[in-house]
Amino acid sequence: MLILLACTTPGDSAPTGDSTADTALADGSAWYGDVETIVVENCAGCHADGEVAPFPLSTYAEAQPMAGAMADAVSARRMPPWKASPGCNEYRGDLSLSDDEIARIVAWAEAGAVEGDPSRASGATAPTSSLSRVDFDLPMPEAYTPGAAPDDYRCFVLEWPETEGKYVTGYQVNPGDRGIVHHVVLYVGASENAQLYRDADAAEAGAGYTCFGGPGVVDQSDAEWLGGWAPGASNGDFPNETGIYMEPGSVVVMQMHYNTSATDPVPDLSSVDFMVEDSVANPAYIQPWADPAWLDGTGMTIPANSEGTNHSFSRTIPFSFRVHTANLHMHTYGQTAKLSVTQGDGTEQCLLDIDDWDFNWQRTYVLAEPLTVENPTITVECSWDNPTGEDLDWGEGTGDEMCLGTMLLSY
Ligand code: HEC
């Protein structure tokens, strides 16, 4: 509600008469024939009933009272929440607005947020979840009410139902209660370890077991990522006919990060929709990228009361492969993060560059074209401000930090 109250009051900028509308139309700054397409394509995927944003912006009636707030939010580039800096790479489903699009929303709001001529409706549609088929849905075994406050990290063991080897070719996490589900990470629990995860679950009272960062139980480096979800990040089909292999007898370990700082704990029953195939053109896996020493608690110290502390990690991989997606992860003190490649021949390529990190807006960026790399040196670098009186280091709690790149790779 706070957000709505902070926004322009409905009617503030309503057109006063036909002459305003005519002028606005002459300028092109009307809903129909102009800003409708921008707003529906770049805002309404989240700003729709049942989606992550707190109010809908799919129709003129919904957008008109919010025009002033929309103009503010797009001018300040708070909305849409697209954190990849321009000029680094190109991505599928890019929601960011051009300067011209921002100017048109602002002009529309300033000219009275007029409707224009409905016969000029563009037929634009909001982006929807791009999972093209659901083969099965794996829910948590039972509902769970977060106990630890405000952060509860809990792993749930989802039994993989297939009896033959399959490739996951897409997924969609369905958060049960969006008010408390902060983010979700999915891990492949290989069949030889599946019982260890079940045992960890059985050893703790209630559904699931406590886990920080990785799924626990096995060495972090043996816990292969399958995917994840954070607010605003859409899941869907994996790109470029890639798929991640799951052997029969495996489990999916679903790590939930619940945060109850803004609301009382309520029962959550989240689930994951999966699409699978017997074979794929490009078997792939998710490669995490961080200095192994950081994970052991050395080399990533962010001193107390410091600004702009920078840490980076580079390593050369002596093969060639293709990079399909890029993702960066820090916690709340992060300022900037970048994932980049120096090809064996010295060519520099940027995968993802975030220059105003926001913990609330994390997503996997799908490269518009997969990048073929040969003997590349891959670098992840991050910077932080630490206003606290304590040194920060790598860790799983929200008060700890991370600098983690992830990429979907295939050979
Ligand atoms: C990826 C999902 C997503 C997209 C895309 C998105 N929004 Fe939002 N928006 C949110 C969420 C969630 C909130 C509430 C939380 C917050 O303010 O961060 C919000 C809040 C807002 C607010 C009120 C708070 C503020 O920052 O002013 C406005 C206005 C707004 N959005 C406008 C827009 C417009 C205009 C677009 C398209 C140009 C857009 N949003 C695209 C998710 C989204």
Side-chain angles (χ1 to χ4, degrees), residues 51 92-93 126-134 169-173 233-239 273 275 363-364 366:
E51 291 302 333
R92 292 199 199 161
T128 48
S129 161
S130 59
L131 184 61
S132 44
R133 194 184 71 230
V134 179
T169 53
Y171 69 89
Q172 172 73 51
V173 174
S234 51
N235 299 146
D237 297 3
F238 287 162
D273 294 339
M275 178 167 76
R363 63 158 62 224
T364 294
V366 179

Side-chain angles (χ1 to χ4, degrees), residues 70-79 83 102 356:
M70 290 165 69
D72 281 358
V74 298
S75 311
R77 292 197 178 272
R78 284 195 307 274
M79 289 285 148
K83 293 291 162 187
I102 293 171
D356 63 338

Side-chain angles (χ1 to χ4, degrees), residues 3 42-43 46-47 52-55 69 73-74 78-81 95 232 361:
I3 290 159
N42 299 287
C43 316
C46 297
H47 285 272
V52 61
F55 51 87
V74 298
R78 284 195 307 274
M79 289 285 148
L95 293 171
W361 295 120

Side-chain angles (χ1 to χ4, degrees), residues 4-300:
L4 287 170
L5 290 173
C7 294
T8 322
T9 331
D12 256 11
S13 51
T16 47
D18 285 340
S19 61
T20 321
D22 287 342
T23 324
L25 277 174
D27 290 337
S29 44
W31 175 260
Y32 291 113
D34 191 21
V35 295
E36 179 201 11
T37 309
I38 308 172
V39 173
V40 170
E41 289 181 350
N42 299 287
C43 316
C46 297
H47 285 272
D49 290 333
E51 291 302 333
V52 61
F55 51 87
L57 291 176
S58 313
T59 64
Y60 175 70
E62 290 163 354
Q64 184 273 336
M66 301 303 293
M70 290 165 69
D72 281 358
V74 298
S75 311
R77 292 197 178 272
R78 284 195 307 274
M79 289 285 148
W82 183 267
K83 293 291 162 187
S85 301
C88 169
N89 211 312
E90 305 213 330
Y91 309 98
R92 292 199 199 161
D94 189 341
L95 293 171
S96 63
L97 301 183
S98 66
D99 291 343
D100 175 61
E101 288 171 321
I102 293 171
R104 281 154 65 193
I105 292 177
V106 172
W108 170 70
E110 285 178 351
V114 298
E115 183 170 17
D117 178 359
S119 74
R120 298 181 69 199
S122 68
T125 50
T128 48
S129 161
S130 59
L131 184 61
S132 44
R133 194 184 71 230
V134 179
D135 290 322
F136 50 84
D137 176 71
L138 298 186
M140 281 160 48
E142 55 183 295
Y144 176 73
T145 305
D151 295 297
D152 191 343
Y153 294 84
R154 192 97 183 158
C155 279
F156 298 92
V157 180
L158 313 182
E159 294 291 337
W160 186 247
E162 297 286 346
T163 51
E164 281 165 33
K166 296 272 181 182
Y167 289 87
V168 174
T169 53
Y171 69 89
Q172 172 73 51
V173 174
N174 306 307
D177 187 291
R178 286 175 183 273
I180 60 169
V181 176
H182 193 285
H183 74 252
V184 181
V185 183
L186 305 174
Y187 297 93
V188 177
S191 55
E192 71 262 26
N193 298 326
Q195 194 53 42
L196 298 174
Y197 294 110
R198 295 182 194 115
D199 292 347
D201 188 347
E204 237 180 87
Y209 62 96
T210 305
C211 60
F212 294 109
V217 178
V218 299
D219 231 37
Q220 177 107 16
S221 51
D222 290 333
E224 196 190 328
W225 284 52
L226 185 57
W229 178 89
S234 51
N235 299 146
D237 297 3
F238 287 162
N240 315 320
E241 295 179 72
T242 54
I244 294 178
Y245 187 67
M246 293 283 291
E247 32 179 27
S250 306
V251 294
V252 173
V253 181
M254 179 160 77
Q255 184 191 46
M256 306 294 297
H257 172 193
Y258 294 109
N259 182 286
T260 49
S261 51
T263 170
D264 287 336
V266 289
D268 172 66
L269 187 62
S270 296
S271 70
V272 192
D273 294 339
F274 284 100
M275 178 167 76
V276 296
E277 302 286 351
D278 294 336
S279 64
V280 292
N282 299 306
Y285 67 96
I286 291 179
Q287 173 70 56
W289 202 254
D291 191 336
W294 295 343
L295 278 72
D296 293 336
T298 51
M300 209 194 79

